[in-house]
Amino acid sequence: MPMENMVHMFGGTKKKSTLVDERVIYFAREDDDSPRQDILGKFCTESLKDFRTCMAANSNDENKCLEPKGVLDKCASAAFKEVNGAGPGKWVY
């Protein structure tokens, strides 16, 4: 148990430490207007289209679309490396 919890539990502080904040922040990764989708749309147009078509045809069951997902993952990896290494100011969202 982290020390922050122990101190709080035994009355050592009046206020709980922010170090034990366990909230989960969800980022909009799959929204059409998210930066992630924009990058995929610019770098991996065909792969993204093939994957979305497969997902729509298979009731959004990702297990049935492993081949197009693999192709998209490879393209996405290269795309995100390029964007992350582009330097300040080139890709701003």
Side-chain angles (χ1 to χ4, degrees):
M1 175 182 303
M3 183 58 82
E4 293 87 10
N5 282 348
M6 292 179 64
V7 170
H8 181 70
M9 285 175 18
F10 297 110
T13 64
K14 294 181 181 183
K15 192 169 149 182
K16 194 171 184 180
S17 170
T18 57
L19 295 174
V20 294
D21 189 7
E22 295 178 2
R23 286 183 303 167
V24 176
I25 299 172
Y26 293 98
F27 294 97
R29 294 173 40 133
E30 305 306 328
D31 292 348
D32 287 336
D33 59 343
S34 70
R36 183 175 192 267
Q37 293 300 318
D38 183 50
I39 292 167
L40 290 176
K42 288 179 178 169
F43 285 88
C44 308
T45 308
E46 286 300 313
S47 303
L48 183 60
K49 184 179 143 211
D50 292 344
F51 179 68
R52 286 185 174 168
T53 302
C54 180
M55 290 291 284
N58 290 300
S59 303
N60 290 326
D61 185 0
E62 206 171 287
N63 293 322
K64 295 180 180 175
C65 300
L66 294 178
E67 184 178 332
K69 183 179 188 288
V71 173
L72 179 62
D73 284 345
K74 286 180 184 175
C75 179
S77 176
F80 292 124
K81 281 181 185 175
E82 182 174 331
V83 170
N84 290 335
K90 183 157 185 193
W91 294 91
V92 178
Y93 287 97

